């Protein structure tokens, strides 16, 4: 079982899936390919096997993982590094001068001749600078365009690219610069029940058929989760019970796999709204050209079936139904709501880099505290995040509007400065923001301010509530923060 990194080439238990066969077919036909699929779904393992098969047919290949790129200070450094990696993979000893022209770098990287070269680009979205990313893929698009008019031996005629990752092709680069819309699009596929049974048997489980049925019922054909559950069952007297215990832990949001999947959804209002609708109705109709729907499939959360979208497996459906950031959750002593950290992009409306970091890390800290059972600390964290968001909003207002907001302040203490929202209390930040926007535009209830103050022992003991019983308030606080992030201009 392999839950960390790609499956080694010599692993006899590896199961080849249909998408891998399609990948080989398209590349051998001379096409450029875009391979999309969820994290931990076998893309890198498939690229390694593609390279091995092509090598057996004397096709030169270069595998470049953009996630392993070092920090760069200029675009030319990125281009030159990429060219050098291609040359190294092709075992072509050559010097590549620092250039900002990708065609020149690749021309130097390829060995002489007319034979085709396949460049496999893993983690293709991992170029952080927007301008560099548009330039890089724009230059690749030019190479793709030149294929139609290229002469024998030209670099554009020899090169074939396979791009792999988990991203939105239509948003990664400007459409005019994108080579992705010249590619054959292939999406990774799940394992079957028969595949799971084979893996369970190969791992030595005593009752592989029963274990595979329990695994498939919970997580469908998701490769990473399947292997994780099989590993948890190895050596257990009751394998199915061990699988169910692990599923129960995952349902509570444990583990990077669940966190990394759902934080992308809770950080995006459109995705969160779509998933909330799916929780309520059980399915949603497929809409042609809907980028958000396609991305939820690429992320691995949803699957297509007969014109509708459904949760990819029961585990994902149950986690979504328990997420207080997606739906209203009725909790009890046996089951707490699930919370996830937000991506930095969720705080993009905050203009101050410092306050953006404060809000982002405070929200992440609140989620971590909640998961560890410290609800008061979680409420304090959400309150701090809210405070940073509102300080930034008010600091962006005109002096007249800021004065109007300051006029409603009730806690004008020693350090209060009407021209500096950073000196205001959270309650006054809330009042001032409501005054400027109106309740119909953004609702900022003051209960978060009250809950945040429970971190103070003196306040906590006045009307004491056990920390463990504050979980519902934490769920509400997390949702209130997201509402404000969504609605503030």
């Amino acid at each position: 079982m392999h839950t960390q990194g790609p499956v080694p080439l010599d692993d006899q238990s590896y199961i080849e899936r249909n998408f891998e066969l399609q990948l080989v077919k398209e590349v051998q036909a001379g096409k450029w390919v875009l391979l999309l699929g969820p994290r931990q779904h076998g893309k890198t393992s498939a690229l390694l096997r593609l390279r091995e098969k092509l090598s057996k047919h004397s096709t030169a290949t270069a595998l470049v993982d953009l996630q392993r790129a070092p920090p760069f200070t200029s675009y030319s450094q990125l281009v030159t590094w990429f060219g050098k990696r291609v040359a190294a993979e092709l075992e072509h000893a050559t010097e590549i001068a620092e250039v900002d022209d990708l065609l020149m770098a690749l021309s130097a990287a390829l060995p002489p001749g007319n034979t085709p070269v396949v460049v496999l680009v893993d983690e293709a979205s991992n170029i952080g600078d927007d301008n560099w990313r548009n330039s890089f893929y724009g230059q690749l698009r030019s190479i793709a365009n030149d294929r139609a008019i290229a002469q024998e031996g030209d670099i554009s005629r020899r090169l074939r690219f396979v791009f792999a990752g988990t991203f939105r092709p239509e948003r990664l680069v400007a459409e005019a610069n994108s080579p992705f819309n010249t590619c054959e699009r292939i999406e990774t596929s799940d394992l079957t029940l028969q595949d799971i049974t084979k893996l369970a048997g190969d791992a030595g489980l005593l009752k592989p058929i029963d274990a595979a049925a329990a695994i498939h019922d919970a997580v469908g054909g998701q490769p990473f989760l399947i292997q994780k559950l099989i590993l948890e069952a190895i050596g257990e007297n009751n394998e199915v019970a061990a699988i169910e215990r692990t599923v129960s832990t995952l349902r509570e949001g444990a583990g990077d796999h669940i966190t990394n999947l759902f934080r992308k959804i809770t950080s995006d209002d459109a995705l969160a709204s779509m998933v909330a609708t799916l929780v309520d109705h059980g399915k949603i109709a497929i809409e042609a050209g809907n980028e958000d729907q396609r991305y939820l499939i690429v992320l691995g959360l949803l699957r297509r079936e007969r014109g509708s979208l459904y949760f990819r497996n029961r585990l994902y459906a149950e986690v979504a139904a328990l997420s207080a950031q997606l739906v209203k959750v009725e909790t009890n002593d046996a089951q707490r709501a699930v919370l996830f950290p937000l991506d930095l992009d969720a705080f993009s409306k905050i203009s101050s880099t410092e306050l953006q970091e404060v809000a982002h890390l405070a929200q992440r800290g609140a989620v971590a505290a909640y998961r560890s059972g410290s609800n008061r600390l979680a409420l304090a964290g959400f309150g701090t995040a809210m405070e940073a968001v509102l300080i930034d909003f008010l600091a962006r207002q005109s002096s007249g509007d800021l004065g109007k907001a300051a006029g409603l302040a009730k806690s004008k203490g020693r350090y209060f400065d009407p021209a500096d929202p950073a000196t205001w209390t959270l309650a006054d930040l809330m009042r001032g923001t409501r005054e400027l926007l109106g309740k119909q535009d953004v609702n900022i209830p003051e209960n978060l301010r009250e809950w945040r103050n429970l971190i103070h022992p003196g306040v906590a003991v006045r009307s004491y509530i056990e920390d463990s019983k504050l979980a519902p308030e934490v769920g509400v606080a997390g949702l209130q923060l997201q509402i404000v992030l969504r609605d503030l201009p």
Side-chain angles (χ1 to χ4, degrees):
M1 296 295 102
H2 294 275
T3 57
Q4 299 291 330
V7 180
L9 289 171
D10 59 357
D11 190 319
Q12 298 301 310
S13 67
Y14 184 81
I15 295 174
E16 189 173 56
R17 285 171 276 169
N18 288 335
F19 82 89
E20 298 179 64
L21 301 175
Q22 185 185 359
L23 181 61
V24 174
K25 177 182 176 182
E26 298 294 355
V27 172
Q28 288 181 333
K31 298 179 181 178
W32 289 30
V33 177
L34 173 61
L35 176 63
L36 294 174
R39 301 284 183 191
Q40 301 173 313
H41 212 249
K43 296 185 297 300
T44 302
S45 296
L47 291 181
L48 292 174
R49 283 157 177 79
L50 172 63
R51 181 173 63 174
E52 183 182 47
K53 290 178 180 178
L54 293 175
S55 296
K56 288 180 179 179
H57 289 84
S58 301
T59 300
T61 61
L63 174 57
V64 183
D65 185 352
L66 289 182
Q67 196 167 31
R68 297 189 178 187
F72 302 115
T73 58
S74 68
Y75 176 65
S76 60
Q77 289 181 355
L78 165 63
V79 170
T80 307
W81 172 86
F82 188 83
K84 288 181 176 180
R85 288 305 310 148
V86 170
E89 286 281 304
L90 298 174
E91 298 181 346
H92 179 215
T94 184
E95 291 294 326
I96 300 178
E98 185 169 316
V99 293
D100 59 7
D101 187 320
L102 191 55
L103 179 60
M104 290 180 61
L106 289 173
S107 296
L110 267 59
N114 299 327
T115 56
V117 174
V118 180
V119 180
L120 313 174
V121 183
D122 202 6
E123 299 297 341
S125 62
N126 205 55
I127 300 176
D129 186 283
D130 291 344
N131 293 326
W132 294 2
R133 189 169 60 249
N134 272 298
S135 295
F136 183 85
Y137 284 111
Q139 291 178 342
L140 284 178
R141 173 61 181 265
S142 295
I143 295 174
N145 290 343
D146 288 345
R147 286 179 294 172
I149 58 174
Q151 301 297 313
E152 188 74 24
D154 284 357
I155 186 82
S156 56
R157 189 161 182 175
R158 295 179 65 191
L159 278 172
R160 303 166 190 176
F161 276 86
V162 177
F163 307 101
T166 306
F167 58 90
R168 302 184 191 224
E170 64 282 345
R171 293 193 184 182
L172 188 65
V173 293
E175 184 176 2
N177 286 356
S178 177
F180 305 130
N181 48 26
T182 70
C183 294
E184 292 294 322
R185 177 168 172 153
I186 297 176
E187 294 179 2
T188 57
S189 52
D190 284 349
L191 294 170
T192 66
L193 177 57
Q194 182 179 358
D195 295 334
I196 303 171
T197 304
K198 179 182 183 302
L199 287 172
D202 290 345
L205 296 193
L206 301 175
K207 297 181 178 181
I209 294 177
D210 293 345
I215 291 170
H216 189 265
D217 176 66
V219 302
Q222 213 290 333
F224 170 80
L225 292 174
I226 289 166
Q227 294 180 88
K228 179 176 178 60
L229 294 177
I230 290 175
L231 283 172
E232 294 294 333
I234 292 174
E236 295 287 337
N237 292 328
N238 190 330
E239 295 167 344
V240 171
I243 290 166
E244 291 174 347
R245 284 197 303 271
T246 305
V247 171
S248 179
T249 301
L250 292 169
R251 190 183 297 118
E252 295 173 357
D256 290 342
H257 177 86
I258 297 295
T259 294
N260 290 336
L261 173 60
F262 276 88
R263 70 181 172 82
K264 291 183 179 297
I265 296 157
T266 55
S267 298
D268 186 301
D269 294 335
L271 299 182
S273 176
M274 192 172 294
V275 173
T277 300
L278 186 56
V279 171
D280 290 339
H281 299 285
K283 66 178 182 179
I284 51 179
I286 294 176
E287 300 174 2
N290 189 312
E291 296 175 2
D292 292 326
Q293 289 187 350
R294 294 188 76 176
Y295 186 50
L296 287 171
I297 294 170
V298 169
L299 283 175
L301 186 76
L302 305 188
R303 59 180 172 84
R304 305 180 188 90
E305 184 179 326
R306 298 179 181 179
S308 296
L309 294 175
Y310 300 83
F311 283 108
R312 199 153 193 159
N313 56 49
R314 177 169 59 85
L315 173 63
Y316 292 165
E318 291 173 348
V319 172
L322 287 170
S323 174
Q325 292 158 297
L326 297 172
V327 295
K328 183 178 180 181
V329 179
E330 299 295 337
T331 60
N332 52 51
D333 292 338
Q335 187 67 67
R336 300 193 337 149
V338 181
L339 292 178
F340 297 99
L342 298 176
D343 285 340
L344 184 61
D345 288 348
F347 299 87
S348 60
K349 290 182 180 178
I350 301 178
S351 61
S352 164
T353 303
E354 292 84 0
L355 289 173
Q356 187 181 74
E357 181 189 73
V358 169
H360 178 225
L361 294 181
Q363 193 274 343
R364 292 178 67 88
V367 171
Y370 174 73
R371 289 182 172 183
S372 67
S374 300
N375 293 320
R376 286 193 180 85
L377 284 176
L379 290 169
F382 282 125
T384 298
M386 179 74 81
E387 193 167 14
V389 172
L390 298 182
I391 288 173
D392 182 82
F393 168 75
L394 288 169
R396 289 187 274 117
Q397 307 309 305
S398 67
S399 58
D401 284 342
L402 186 58
K404 183 179 179 182
L408 293 178
K410 295 182 178 180
S411 303
K412 298 179 181 179
R414 177 181 176 183
Y415 299 104
F416 176 79
D417 181 351
D420 182 7
T423 65
W424 304 7
T425 64
L426 178 56
D428 286 335
L429 291 169
M430 291 175 167
R431 294 187 189 101
T433 301
R434 279 197 301 265
E435 171 67 18
L436 296 184
L437 293 178
K439 191 172 182 178
Q440 70 277 9
D441 296 315
V442 57
N443 186 15
I444 311 176
E446 291 194 26
N447 51 9
L448 176 55
R449 183 259 302 182
E450 297 168 357
W451 296 335
R452 183 255 192 111
N453 288 341
L454 292 175
I455 194 66
H456 302 293
V459 176
V461 298
R462 289 175 195 163
S463 300
Y464 186 72
I465 301 175
E466 293 179 22
D467 191 282
S468 61
K469 294 182 178 179
L470 291 170
E473 283 83 352
V474 176
V476 173
L479 186 58
Q480 286 179 353
L481 174 63
Q482 284 188 247
I483 290 172
V484 171
L485 286 170
R486 179 196 67 195
D487 292 345
L488 274 183

